[in-house]
């Protein structure tokens, strides 16, 4: 179905041309935007997951994931600057590779956004549960984690997802000033952790450095397995590329913003990883010489009552408490509690807008894009998305959710890099506010890097991904294929295939 039912880019751009955005963002603003979008659950929570898989070598995993993200970001930026409309990778694929692959990408983006929102919710609950416990008000163990993680129902993760969904339905948005404050809170928390933990590092905690080796395909452990998980810590850089329409001199400032934000976050992540490992150690949980996969019942049992870093649901606060800085550990927990809900909000918001765009194209029922008469938000799809996110968060552990989210994200990035190369051949003269440098080297490397990490996810994760893809293809065959606005039977106002007008609703959260 390659190049089948391709929606012309000029048609896609009609939506964007209705609104003219002022080019006012410089390199510094873009870099700060990227840092704010990237720093979240990945570094606050998945440090423990990386420690489980790679031990001290998780620092190498941070670098590998950053390089793959950087290559993919450069490819992403070119399409974002050419097609500055809603829909993300789904829209780009629709305009270049055709409807079949576009549907597959859009379906995979459910894993990137909805499942990621669930992962962030679980990460948030880990820190808040830690704060409640330190205050002597801890919940029963059964309500702290899901059934795959030794509990029964993650109550706080469930509730925060529903709360954020309610805020999105009534149209609550966060201003640029609030976003800047949250960025400062997150950066200050990581800086405080580094200042305390790095001086306390001990050489003995780094031995052996590669306890599980580089890993093997489908194994989900080792350095590459950790990189495939920690990839989640960098997702969010696309916030920079999607700001291309509002950027001054995008050819210069977009790459500075992308590489700058990834570079700053990588330095922070390496220092945090060094401090966490050096101060408390991060030996993988081993049973019969085998590193257990995060989310497995065996690992949950091995961690029961354990005080090891790799078992902690709030690893950074855990390290500081171990070092005797309980007050600072609680401060880290408060920072995570304040800042992470905004990430959940952006993830659910992004998911609803992907579904909204797919419904507008006829690939999903049009009633999903229904706008609330009072709040002017797409409330139907927002509520449906929020309920599913809350259910995921209540039942699954953060490591499993993050890995499943990564599988969808990596697939989407492969399609974006491929679309850039195809469009360079098909439409070489089309204006490109930002051009991917050395495109015939960067894009193939981006695809290879994403595939490398994809194949180093666990077999469980990949089976979930392909199972979800098969369900998506069935839905497309039974509904989207026949109802698409590019299907032969569809006729618009001008008598031919067209794109219906976009309903008006509040823009929601603004960066």
């Amino acid at each position: 179905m390659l190049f089948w039912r391709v929606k012309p880019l000029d048609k896609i751009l009609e939506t964007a041309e209705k609104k003219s955005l002022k080019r006012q963002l410089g390199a510094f603003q873009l870099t700060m935007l990227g840092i704010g979008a990237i720093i979240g659950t990945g570094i606050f929570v998945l440090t423990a997951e990386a420690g489980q898989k790679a031990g001290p070598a998780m620092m190498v995993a941070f670098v590998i994931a950053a390089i793959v993200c950087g290559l993919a970001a450069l490819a992403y930026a070119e399409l974002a600057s050419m097609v500055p409309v809603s829909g993300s990778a789904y829209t780009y694929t629709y305009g270049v590779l055709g409807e079949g692959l576009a549907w597959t990408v859009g379906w995979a983006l459910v894993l990137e956004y909805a499942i990621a929102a669930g992962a962030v919710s679980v990460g948030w609950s880990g820190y808040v549960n830690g704060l409640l416990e330190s205050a002597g008000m801890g919940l029963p163990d059964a309500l702290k984690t899901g059934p795959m993680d030794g509990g029964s129902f993650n109550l706080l993760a469930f509730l925060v997802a529903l709360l954020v969904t309610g805020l999105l339905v009534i149209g609550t948005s966060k201003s640029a000033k609030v976003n800047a404050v949250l960025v400062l809170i997150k950066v200050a928390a990581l800086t405080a952790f580094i200042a305390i933990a790095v001086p306390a590092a001990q050489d003995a905690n780094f031995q052996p450095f590669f306890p599980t080796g580089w890993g093997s395909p489908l194994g989900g452990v080792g350095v590459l397995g950790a990189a495939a998980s920690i990839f989640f810590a960098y997702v969010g850089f696309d916030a920079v590329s999607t700001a291309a329409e509002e950027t001054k001199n995008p050819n210069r400032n977009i790459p500075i913003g992308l590489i700058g934000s990834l570079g700053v976050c990588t330095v922070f992540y390496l220092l945090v990883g060094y401090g966490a490992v050096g101060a408390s150690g991060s030996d993988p949980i081993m049973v019969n010489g085998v590193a257990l996969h995060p989310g497995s019942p065996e690992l949950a049992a091995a961690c029961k009552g354990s005080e090891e870093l790799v078992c902690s649901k709030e690893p950074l606060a855990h390290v500081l408490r171990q070092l005797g800085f309980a007050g600072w550990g609680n401060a880290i927990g408060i920072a995570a509690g304040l800042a992470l809900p905004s990430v959940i909000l952006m993830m659910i918001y992004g998911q609803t807008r992907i579904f909204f765009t797919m419904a507008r194209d006829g690939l999903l029922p049009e009633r999903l894009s229904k706008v609330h008469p009072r709040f002017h938000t797409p409330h139907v799809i927002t509520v449906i998305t929020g309920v599913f996110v809350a259910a995921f968060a209540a039942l699954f552990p953060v490591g499993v959710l993050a890995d499943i989210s990564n599988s969808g994200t990596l697939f989407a990035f492969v399609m974006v890099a491929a679309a850039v190369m195809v469009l360079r051949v098909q439409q070489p003269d089309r204006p490109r506010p930002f051009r991917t440098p050395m495109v015939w080297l960067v894009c193939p490397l981006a695809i290879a890097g994403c595939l490398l990490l994809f194949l180093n996810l666990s077999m469980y994760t990949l089976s979930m991904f392909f199972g979800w893809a098969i369900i998506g293809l069935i839905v497309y065959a039974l509904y989207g294929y026949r109802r698409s606005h590019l299907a032969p039977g569809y006729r618009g106002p001008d008598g031919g295939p067209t794109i219906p007008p976009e309903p008006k609703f509040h823009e929601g959260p603004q960066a």
Side-chain angles (χ1 to χ4, degrees):
M1 292 187 292
L2 193 65
F3 308 131
W4 178 70
R5 285 188 185 174
V6 176
K7 184 196 296 184
L9 289 181
D10 291 332
K11 280 285 187 182
I12 296 175
L13 287 170
E14 284 181 6
T15 302
E17 290 172 355
K18 294 175 183 177
K19 296 181 180 179
S20 179
L21 298 178
K22 182 180 179 181
R23 294 189 179 276
Q24 55 186 345
L25 299 177
F28 177 76
Q29 290 95 327
L30 286 174
T31 301
M32 291 301 295
L33 177 66
I35 293 171
I38 292 169
I39 294 178
T41 294
I43 189 59
F44 279 102
V45 179
L46 292 183
T47 307
E49 301 290 335
Q52 289 172 359
K53 295 185 175 185
M58 67 177 176
M59 291 187 291
V60 179
F62 276 123
V63 175
I64 293 173
I67 291 172
V68 174
C69 278
L71 293 170
L74 291 173
Y76 203 106
E78 177 166 321
L79 287 183
S81 67
M82 295 173 66
V83 194
V85 298
S86 62
S88 185
Y90 158 76
T91 299
Y92 309 150
T93 308
Y94 209 163
V96 181
L97 300 178
E99 184 176 279
L101 286 176
W103 166 269
T104 306
V105 169
W107 195 251
L109 287 175
V110 175
L111 304 181
E112 177 179 352
Y113 288 99
I115 300 296
V120 179
S121 299
V122 176
W124 178 86
S125 73
Y127 275 93
V128 176
N129 274 319
L131 286 172
L132 292 175
E133 184 134 1
S134 67
M137 299 184 295
L139 295 175
D141 289 344
L143 297 180
K144 289 181 180 178
T145 56
M148 292 181 65
D149 214 11
S152 299
F153 190 87
N154 193 327
L155 179 62
L156 291 182
F158 180 80
L159 292 177
V160 74
L162 290 184
L163 175 62
V164 169
T165 300
L167 293 176
L168 281 171
V169 167
I170 64 176
T172 299
S173 63
K174 63 188 183 73
S175 68
K177 290 182 179 179
V178 173
N179 183 61
V181 170
L182 294 176
V183 172
L184 290 176
I185 289 174
K186 292 187 286 188
V187 171
L190 294 183
T191 302
F193 176 86
I194 291 167
I196 296 171
V198 168
Q202 300 177 21
D203 290 343
N205 287 329
F206 293 95
Q207 304 299 327
F209 192 74
F210 287 92
T212 55
W214 286 96
S216 58
L218 309 182
V221 295
V223 173
L224 292 176
S229 289
I230 213 68
F231 180 83
F232 187 84
Y234 291 98
V235 174
F237 65 79
D238 53 336
V240 175
S241 59
T242 53
E245 192 183 8
E246 301 170 78
T247 300
K248 296 181 292 186
N249 191 7
N251 275 319
R252 170 185 177 273
N253 290 331
I254 288 290
I256 291 176
L258 286 169
I259 304 303
S261 58
L262 284 169
V264 169
C265 289
T266 301
V267 171
F268 265 105
Y269 289 1
L270 287 174
L271 290 173
V272 167
Y274 178 86
V277 173
S280 66
S282 64
D283 293 334
I285 300 295
M286 310 287 287
V287 174
N288 297 326
V290 177
L292 295 177
H293 183 260
S296 66
E298 295 83 4
L299 181 60
C303 279
K304 199 72 172 178
S306 172
E307 292 298 320
E308 296 187 59
L309 168 67
V310 294
C311 291
S312 178
K313 306 301 178 189
E314 38 160 7
L316 304 190
H318 172 82
V319 170
L320 296 187
R321 291 188 185 117
Q322 274 195 325
L323 293 175
F325 294 89
W328 281 105
N330 290 337
I332 294 283
I334 292 172
L338 289 173
L340 293 184
S342 69
V343 182
I344 303 171
L345 185 144
M346 292 305 296
M347 292 292 185
I348 297 179
Y349 172 82
Q351 180 63 76
T352 60
R353 272 46 183 182
I354 296 291
F355 277 148
F356 182 87
T357 305
M358 295 175 74
R360 192 181 65 201
D361 291 335
L363 300 181
L364 290 174
E366 188 174 350
R367 59 180 173 272
L368 293 180
S369 61
K370 185 178 179 181
V371 176
H372 195 283
R374 177 183 175 188
F375 300 126
H376 306 289
T377 57
H379 61 292
V380 176
I381 193 59
T382 299
V383 170
I384 293 173
T385 300
V387 169
F388 275 99
V389 168
F392 297 147
L395 300 176
F396 290 94
V398 65
V400 170
L401 291 173
D403 282 358
I404 294 173
S405 174
N406 287 344
S407 68
T409 306
L410 289 165
F411 174 76
F413 286 175
V414 167
M415 291 296 102
V416 167
V420 168
M421 293 188 291
V422 169
L423 207 56
R424 284 290 185 101
V425 174
Q426 284 185 342
Q427 303 181 41
D429 297 327
R430 178 174 284 276
R432 290 169 169 81
F434 171 76
R435 297 177 67 89
T436 302
M438 297 182 291
V439 66
W440 299 108
L441 175 64
V442 168
C443 288
L445 285 177
I447 292 173
C450 288
L451 290 176
L452 176 66
L453 296 186
F454 184 85
L455 293 175
N456 275 277
L457 292 166
S458 69
M459 179 64 78
Y460 174 84
T461 301
L462 293 183
S463 65
M464 293 285 285
F465 172 83
F466 286 111
W468 178 251
I470 290 171
I471 294 172
L473 291 175
I474 293 173
V475 172
Y476 176 68
L478 295 179
Y479 186 91
Y481 172 79
R482 306 172 191 279
R483 301 296 186 92
S484 166
H485 293 161
L486 295 186
Y490 179 79
R491 290 292 180 268
D494 60 355
T498 187
I499 302 170
E502 181 178 4
K504 296 184 181 299
F505 56 86
H506 287 324
E507 292 295 330
Q510 300 295 318

